[in-house]
Each structure stands twice: as C-alpha cells, then as structure tokens.
Coordinates of all heavy atoms in Angstrom, one line a residue:
A1 N 24.5 -16.7 64.0 CA 23.6 -16.2 64.9 C 24.0 -16.5 66.3 O 24.5 -17.6 66.6 CB 22.2 -16.7 64.6
S2 N 23.6 -15.6 67.3 CA 23.9 -15.9 68.7 C 22.7 -15.3 69.5 O 22.0 -14.4 69.0 CB 25.2 -15.4 69.1 OG 25.3 -14.0 69.0
G3 N 22.5 -15.8 70.7 CA 21.5 -15.2 71.5 C 20.1 -15.7 71.2 O 19.1 -15.1 71.7
I4 N 20.0 -16.8 70.4 CA 18.7 -17.3 70.0 C 18.7 -18.8 70.0 O 19.8 -19.4 69.9 CB 18.2 -16.8 68.7 CG1 19.2 -17.1 67.6 CG2 17.9 -15.3 68.7 CD1 18.7 -17.1 66.2
I5 N 17.5 -19.4 70.0 CA 17.4 -20.8 69.6 C 17.2 -20.8 68.1 O 16.1 -20.7 67.6 CB 16.2 -21.5 70.4 CG1 16.4 -21.3 71.9 CG2 16.1 -22.9 70.0 CD1 15.2 -21.8 72.7
F6 N 18.3 -21.0 67.4 CA 18.4 -20.9 66.0 C 17.4 -21.7 65.2 O 16.8 -21.2 64.3 CB 19.8 -21.2 65.6 CG 20.1 -21.0 64.1 CD1 20.4 -19.8 63.6 CD2 20.1 -22.1 63.3 CE1 20.7 -19.6 62.3 CE2 20.3 -21.9 61.9 CZ 20.7 -20.7 61.4
S7 N 17.2 -22.9 65.7 CA 16.4 -23.9 64.9 C 14.9 -23.6 64.8 O 14.3 -24.2 64.0 CB 16.6 -25.3 65.6 OG 16.1 -25.3 66.9
I8 N 14.4 -22.7 65.6 CA 13.0 -22.4 65.6 C 12.6 -21.2 64.7 O 11.4 -20.9 64.7 CB 12.4 -22.2 67.0 CG1 12.9 -20.9 67.7 CG2 12.8 -23.4 67.9 CD1 12.3 -20.6 69.0
Y9 N 13.5 -20.7 64.0 CA 13.2 -19.5 63.2 C 13.4 -19.8 61.7 O 14.3 -20.4 61.3 CB 14.1 -18.3 63.6 CG 13.9 -17.8 64.9 CD1 14.7 -18.2 66.0 CD2 12.9 -16.8 65.1 CE1 14.4 -17.7 67.3 CE2 12.7 -16.3 66.4 CZ 13.4 -16.7 67.5 OH 13.2 -16.2 68.7
N10 N 12.4 -19.2 60.9 CA 12.6 -19.1 59.5 C 13.7 -18.0 59.3 O 13.8 -17.1 60.1 CB 11.3 -18.7 58.8 CG 10.3 -19.8 58.9 OD1 10.6 -21.0 59.1 ND2 9.0 -19.4 58.8
M11 N 14.4 -18.1 58.2 CA 15.5 -17.2 58.0 C 15.6 -16.8 56.5 O 14.9 -17.5 55.7 CB 16.9 -17.7 58.4 CG 16.9 -18.0 59.9 SD 18.6 -18.4 60.4 CE 19.4 -16.8 60.3
G12 N 16.3 -15.8 56.1 CA 16.4 -15.4 54.7 C 17.6 -14.5 54.5 O 18.2 -14.0 55.4
W13 N 17.9 -14.4 53.2 CA 18.9 -13.5 52.7 C 18.2 -12.4 51.8 O 17.3 -12.8 51.0 CB 19.9 -14.2 51.8 CG 20.9 -15.0 52.6 CD1 20.9 -16.4 52.8 CD2 22.1 -14.5 53.3 NE1 21.9 -16.8 53.5 CE2 22.7 -15.7 53.8 CE3 22.6 -13.3 53.4 CZ2 23.9 -15.6 54.6 CZ3 23.8 -13.2 54.2 CH2 24.4 -14.3 54.7
Y14 N 18.5 -11.2 52.0 CA 18.0 -10.1 51.3 C 19.2 -9.3 50.8 O 20.3 -9.4 51.3 CB 17.1 -9.2 52.1 CG 15.8 -9.8 52.5 CD1 15.8 -10.9 53.5 CD2 14.6 -9.4 52.0 CE1 14.6 -11.5 53.9 CE2 13.4 -10.0 52.4 CZ 13.4 -11.0 53.3 OH 12.3 -11.6 53.7
R15 N 19.0 -8.4 49.8 CA 20.1 -7.6 49.3 C 19.6 -6.2 48.9 O 18.4 -6.1 48.6 CB 20.8 -8.3 48.1 CG 19.9 -8.4 46.8 CD 20.7 -9.2 45.8 NE 19.9 -9.3 44.5 CZ 20.2 -10.0 43.5 NH1 21.4 -10.8 43.5 NH2 19.5 -10.0 42.4
Q16 N 20.5 -5.3 48.9 CA 20.1 -3.9 48.6 C 21.3 -3.3 47.8 O 22.4 -3.2 48.3 CB 19.8 -3.1 49.8 CG 19.3 -1.7 49.5 CD 18.7 -1.0 50.7 OE1 19.1 -1.3 51.8 NE2 17.8 0.0 50.5
A17 N 21.0 -2.9 46.6 CA 21.9 -2.2 45.7 C 21.7 -0.7 45.9 O 20.7 -0.2 46.3 CB 21.7 -2.6 44.3
P18 N 22.8 0.1 45.6 CA 22.7 1.5 45.8 C 21.5 2.1 45.0 O 21.3 1.8 43.8 CB 24.0 2.1 45.3 CG 24.9 0.9 45.5 CD 24.1 -0.3 45.2
G19 N 20.7 2.9 45.7 CA 19.5 3.6 45.0 C 18.4 2.7 44.8 O 17.4 3.1 44.1
K20 N 18.4 1.4 45.3 CA 17.3 0.5 45.1 C 16.8 0.0 46.4 O 17.4 0.1 47.4 CB 17.7 -0.7 44.2 CG 18.2 -0.3 42.8 CD 18.5 -1.6 42.0 CE 17.2 -2.3 41.6 NZ 17.4 -3.4 40.7
Q21 N 15.6 -0.5 46.4 CA 15.0 -1.1 47.6 C 15.6 -2.4 48.0 O 16.1 -3.1 47.1 CB 13.5 -1.2 47.5 CG 13.0 -2.2 46.5 CD 11.5 -2.3 46.4 OE1 10.8 -1.6 47.1 NE2 11.0 -3.1 45.4
R22 N 15.5 -2.7 49.2 CA 15.9 -4.1 49.7 C 15.0 -5.1 49.1 O 13.8 -5.0 49.1 CB 15.9 -4.1 51.2 CG 16.5 -5.4 51.7 CD 16.7 -5.4 53.2 NE 17.6 -4.3 53.7 CZ 17.9 -4.1 54.9 NH1 17.5 -4.9 55.9 NH2 18.7 -3.1 55.2
E23 N 15.6 -6.2 48.6 CA 14.8 -7.2 47.9 C 15.1 -8.6 48.5 O 16.2 -8.9 48.9 CB 15.0 -7.2 46.4 CG 16.4 -7.6 46.0 CD 16.5 -7.7 44.5 OE1 15.5 -7.6 43.8 OE2 17.6 -7.9 44.0
L24 N 14.1 -9.5 48.5 CA 14.3 -10.8 48.9 C 15.1 -11.6 47.9 O 14.9 -11.5 46.7 CB 12.9 -11.5 49.1 CG 12.9 -13.0 49.3 CD1 13.5 -13.3 50.7 CD2 11.5 -13.6 49.2
V25 N 16.1 -12.3 48.4 CA 16.9 -13.2 47.6 C 16.5 -14.7 47.8 O 16.2 -15.4 46.8 CB 18.4 -13.1 47.9 CG1 19.3 -14.1 47.1 CG2 18.9 -11.6 47.7
A26 N 16.4 -15.1 49.0 CA 16.1 -16.5 49.3 C 15.6 -16.6 50.8 O 16.1 -15.8 51.6 CB 17.2 -17.4 49.1
R27 N 14.7 -17.6 51.0 CA 14.3 -17.8 52.4 C 14.4 -19.3 52.6 O 14.3 -20.2 51.7 CB 12.9 -17.3 52.7 CG 12.9 -15.8 52.8 CD 11.6 -15.3 53.5 NE 11.5 -15.7 54.9 CZ 12.1 -15.0 55.9 NH1 12.8 -13.9 55.6 NH2 12.0 -15.4 57.1
I28 N 14.6 -19.7 53.9 CA 14.6 -21.1 54.3 C 13.8 -21.2 55.6 O 14.0 -20.4 56.6 CB 16.0 -21.6 54.4 CG1 16.0 -23.1 54.8 CG2 16.8 -20.8 55.5 CD1 17.4 -23.7 54.5
T29 N 13.0 -22.2 55.7 CA 12.1 -22.4 56.9 C 12.8 -23.3 57.9 O 13.9 -23.8 57.7 CB 10.8 -23.1 56.5 OG1 11.0 -24.4 56.1 CG2 10.1 -22.4 55.4
T30 N 12.2 -23.4 59.1 CA 12.7 -24.2 60.1 C 12.9 -25.7 59.7 O 13.8 -26.4 60.2 CB 11.8 -24.2 61.4 OG1 10.5 -24.6 61.0 CG2 11.8 -22.8 61.9
S31 N 12.1 -26.1 58.8 CA 12.1 -27.5 58.3 C 13.0 -27.7 57.1 O 13.2 -28.8 56.6 CB 10.7 -28.0 58.0 OG 10.1 -27.2 57.0
G32 N 13.6 -26.6 56.6 CA 14.5 -26.7 55.5 C 13.9 -26.4 54.1 O 14.6 -26.5 53.1
S33 N 12.6 -26.0 54.0 CA 12.1 -25.7 52.8 C 12.7 -24.4 52.3 O 12.9 -23.4 53.1 CB 10.5 -25.5 52.9 OG 10.0 -26.8 53.2
T34 N 12.9 -24.2 51.0 CA 13.5 -23.0 50.4 C 12.7 -22.4 49.4 O 11.9 -23.1 48.7 CB 14.9 -23.4 49.9 OG1 14.8 -24.4 48.8 CG2 15.8 -23.9 51.0
M35 N 12.9 -21.1 49.2 CA 12.3 -20.4 48.1 C 13.3 -19.3 47.6 O 14.1 -18.8 48.4 CB 11.0 -19.8 48.4 CG 11.0 -18.7 49.5 SD 11.4 -17.0 48.9 CE 9.9 -16.7 47.9
Y36 N 13.2 -19.0 46.3 CA 14.2 -18.1 45.7 C 13.5 -17.0 44.9 O 12.5 -17.3 44.2 CB 15.2 -18.8 44.8 CG 16.0 -19.8 45.6 CD1 15.6 -21.1 45.7 CD2 17.3 -19.5 46.1 CE1 16.3 -22.1 46.4 CE2 18.0 -20.4 46.8 CZ 17.5 -21.7 47.0 OH 18.3 -22.7 47.6
A37 N 14.2 -15.8 44.8 CA 13.7 -14.9 43.8 C 14.0 -15.4 42.4 O 15.0 -16.1 42.2 CB 14.5 -13.5 44.1
D38 N 13.2 -15.0 41.5 CA 13.4 -15.5 40.1 C 14.8 -15.1 39.6 O 15.4 -15.9 38.8 CB 12.3 -14.9 39.2 CG 11.0 -15.5 39.4 OD1 10.9 -16.6 40.0 OD2 10.0 -14.9 39.0
S39 N 15.3 -14.0 40.0 CA 16.6 -13.5 39.5 C 17.8 -14.4 39.9 O 18.8 -14.3 39.2 CB 16.8 -12.1 39.9 OG 16.8 -12.0 41.3
V40 N 17.6 -15.2 40.9 CA 18.7 -16.0 41.4 C 18.5 -17.5 41.3 O 19.4 -18.3 41.6 CB 19.1 -15.6 42.8 CG1 19.4 -14.1 42.9 CG2 18.1 -16.1 43.8

C-alpha cells in the first residue's frame, strides 16, 4: 500500500473465480485480529 497511513485501516483478501461473485477470504484488523472464510 502507498498513499495512506497503513496502520489505521482494517484490511482483507477477497477472491473471485470466473462466473462467481467476489467472496471474502480473510480479514485483519488494525490490532491484528483475524477472521477467515470457512473454506480456507
């Protein structure tokens, strides 16, 4: 990331397969807490 104060934002990874909707894979908060989709 650039152009931001990185540490103050929650972030995440999402994925999209052909013909399917974008889905949440994992997220991480500013404090380091994590959550994951059941599939991963």
Side-chain angles (χ1 to χ4, degrees):
S2 61
I4 58 163
I5 303 174
F6 183 83
S7 61
I8 68 172
Y9 292 96
N10 297 334
M11 300 186 72
W13 287 99
Y14 293 71
R15 67 187 182 187
Q16 187 168 24
K20 301 187 69 175
Q21 66 180 355
R22 186 174 299 185
E23 65 176 354
L24 172 68
V25 176
R27 288 195 69 81
I28 185 166
T29 69
T30 57
S31 61
S33 296
T34 60
M35 63 86 66
Y36 299 89
D38 288 342
S39 59
V40 307

